[in-house]
């Protein structure tokens, strides 16, 4: 379940970048009630894109801003409450890690859903029922 964090240079220290990604992963797993799940944990993947100063914009002008994009199968974070919980946690994580270099109102999060049957892991297609089965099997181990 890819997470993409995009920030300008200098917003996060190198140490904070690694910590932020760990915390975003844990937030997703916790909100999904899958913390420690042997199938899901290694399948929360992603990147941190650090762009040169002046290449991140808000209102058409260069800005200190952060963008968090989460791609999920359509069965994940299915309720408004779950979406709100992840977005709030992710915003707090990035805001805290920036040490005051970005404010909450300059952190945007979006959740993008993959259509049924279009999720692939290790070359295998997973529909919603296959994902649920794999998660449940891992939980019983």
């Amino acid at each position: 379940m890819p997470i993409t964090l995009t920030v300008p240079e200098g917003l996060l220290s190198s140490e904070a970048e690694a910590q932020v990604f760990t915390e975003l992963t844990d937030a997703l797993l916790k909100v999904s009630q899958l913390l420690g799940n042997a199938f899901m944990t290694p399948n929360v993947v992603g990147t941190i894109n650090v762009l040169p100063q002046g290449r991140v914009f808000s209102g058409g002008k260069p800005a200190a801003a952060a963008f968090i994009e989460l791609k999920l199968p359509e069965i994940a974070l299915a309720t408004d409450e779950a979406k709100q919980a992840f977005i709030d946690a992710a915003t707090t994580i990035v805001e805290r890690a920036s040490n005051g270099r970005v404010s909450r109102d300059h952190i945007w999060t979006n959740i993008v859903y993959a259509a049924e049957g279009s999720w692939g892991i290790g070359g295998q297609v997973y529909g919603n029922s296959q994902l649920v089965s794999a998660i449940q099997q891992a939980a019983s181990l």
Side-chain angles (χ1 to χ4, degrees), residues 8 12 62:
L12 302 173

Side-chain angles (χ1 to χ4, degrees), residues 3 18-36 41 44 86 89-90 93:
I3 300 170
Q19 185 62 33
V20 160
F21 206 85
T22 297
E23 290 181 28
L24 290 172
T25 298
D26 290 348
L28 174 59
L29 292 168
K30 182 177 179 183
V31 169
S32 302
Q33 299 178 0
L34 294 170
L35 202 54
T41 300
V44 178
F86 176 76
I93 289 164

Side-chain angles (χ1 to χ4, degrees), residues 92-110:
T92 298
I93 289 164
V94 173
E95 180 184 35
R96 184 178 57 242
S98 78
N99 286 323
R101 291 183 288 276
V102 69
S103 61
R104 290 181 80 77
D105 62 337
H106 277 87
I107 301 171
W108 287 270
T109 304
N110 66 10

Side-chain angles (χ1 to χ4, degrees), residues 5 24 28 30 48 63 67 83 91 95 105 120 126 128-129 133-134:
L5 174 61
L24 290 172
L28 174 59
K30 182 177 179 183
I48 299 176
F67 312 112
K83 289 178 191 74
T91 301
E95 180 184 35
D105 62 337
Y126 283 83
N128 293 337
S129 62
S133 179

Side-chain angles (χ1 to χ4, degrees), residues 34 37-40 75 130-140:
L34 294 170
N37 183 278
F39 177 78
M40 280 304 302
I75 58 171
Q130 290 89 3
L131 282 169
V132 169
S133 179
I135 290 166
Q136 289 173 338
Q137 286 177 350
S140 65

